[in-house]
Amino acid sequence: MTVEKYAVIGHPIAHSKSPLIHQAFAAQFGKVISYEKILAPLDGFTETVHRLQAESFLGANVTVPFKFEAFNLCNSLSERAQALEAGAVNTLSFLGEGQIRGDNTDGAGLRRDIENNLGFSIAGKRLLMLGAGGAAQGVLGSLLDAAQIVIANRTPGKALPMVAAIRHSLEASASTFEALDQSFDLVINATSAGLTDSKLPIPDCVFTANTLAYDMMYGRDTPFMQQARTAGAQVADGLGMLVEQAAEAFHSWHGLRPQTAPVIKSFRQF
């Protein structure tokens, strides 16, 4: 029996839960797959991808810091990867004859977690996005039925191109963290501040008892989550997003839609 081979590529990569998630999905359908963690040199992503293609891998997930490089390797893109205008992909399908198709499942994963798992409807809501880097750009296209989006960043100039790209769809503006002066229904932390346990300089007024404060980071109680909880907001981390975006990638590779709830629950027990 030929075992289908997949991988996740990143730097660092040892912490990745993707192999466990994809193996759990495969087990739901009685499939046997191989899914490896691949540590690519910072200057060796392209070579790593070409090696996987030569070794008959069928696809790969891509994580920090290679999502923009992955975009540039693609011969074709999914509709949502094109629509994002973010220039980043996190899922590669190797189609043979050197062809690579790129997809970005981050936005769909975030949306599914917030709406399906947390029961929070995004449409028509006031949304604050903290950060204007790749993580924010990768999910922004999935949030455009909000009524208002404010993108706050240490340097608001970095958020201006993002604002310009979505302003045709809804009310959008850029801000510094400190200048925020209104409350929001949904606050998404797309910064990496939680990695260093750094507190973002955002005022408590952005939160109310009806606010969902969502940190895209998972596996730790970040200062953002602590601040939001103290201010009375509902708080969630990004574990559900991690599993949901993986389910989108699994579906794009196998044509099968896995059940995510039991996988999320299993990780919550650790």
Side-chain angles (χ1 to χ4, degrees):
M1 180 179 64
T2 301
V3 176
E4 297 178 1
K5 295 193 294 185
Y6 301 89
V8 58
I9 309 169
H11 190 116
I13 200 61
H15 66 287
S16 175
K17 290 181 168 60
S18 292
L20 294 174
I21 294 171
H22 280 266
Q23 293 289 0
F25 289 160
Q28 293 180 15
F29 301 100
K31 290 178 69 72
V32 178
I33 66 169
S34 168
Y35 191 106
E36 302 176 29
K37 299 178 188 177
I38 305 290
L39 178 68
L42 291 176
D43 61 351
F45 175 75
T46 298
E47 291 78 4
T48 299
V49 169
H50 289 162
R51 175 174 66 81
L52 295 184
Q53 289 178 284
E55 294 176 1
S56 300
F57 279 69
L58 298 180
N61 291 125
V62 181
T63 187
V64 175
F66 299 123
K67 293 182 182 182
F68 295 102
E69 240 181 296
F71 179 91
N72 292 326
L73 279 182
C74 295
N75 307 106
S76 62
L77 297 169
S78 68
E79 286 187 15
R80 60 188 170 198
Q82 295 178 53
L84 282 174
E85 300 179 2
V89 298
N90 71 340
T91 302
L92 301 176
S93 298
F94 304 141
L95 307 178
E97 299 182 358
Q99 297 296 299
I100 302 174
R101 183 170 177 81
D103 192 8
N104 193 316
T105 66
D106 284 333
L110 173 70
R111 179 104 192 188
R112 281 182 175 271
D113 188 36
I114 290 175
E115 298 208 321
N116 296 5
N117 300 329
L118 301 177
F120 183 96
S121 177
I122 294 170
K125 298 297 197 304
R126 292 168 294 126
L127 189 159
L128 171 62
M129 178 72 73
L130 300 174
Q137 292 181 46
V139 301
L140 194 60
S142 68
L143 304 169
L144 299 186
D145 57 346
Q148 173 195 15
I149 295 181
V150 175
I151 303 173
N153 200 54
R154 293 189 189 279
T155 52
K158 189 175 180 183
L160 290 176
M162 296 171 64
V163 168
I166 64 173
R167 191 172 273 156
H168 62 282
S169 300
L170 75 172
E171 180 186 343
S173 60
S175 174
T176 62
F177 294 134
E178 296 87 348
L180 294 166
D181 61 359
Q182 68 176 101
S183 64
F184 295 87
D185 302 305
L186 174 61
V187 181
I188 298 174
N189 181 21
T191 75
S192 58
L195 283 174
T196 55
D197 287 327
S198 302
K199 186 179 185 298
L200 294 170
I202 56 174
D204 289 341
C205 70
V206 302
F207 304 110
T208 72
N210 297 317
T211 301
L212 172 60
Y214 190 100
D215 200 319
M216 289 171 63
M217 189 151 305
Y218 63 91
R220 62 176 68 204
D221 192 29
T222 64
F224 165 79
M225 295 168 67
Q226 294 166 18
Q227 179 184 4
R229 189 180 298 112
T230 300
Q234 176 188 350
V235 175
D237 72 358
L239 177 63
M241 175 185 170
L242 174 73
V243 175
E244 294 291 351
Q245 65 81 23
E248 290 289 322
F250 189 91
H251 180 260
S252 71
W253 287 332
H254 304 281
L256 300 168
R257 177 72 63 183
Q259 296 296 311
T260 55
V263 179
I264 294 170
K265 183 178 180 181
S266 71
F267 281 110
R268 290 282 183 215
Q269 294 172 349
F270 292 101

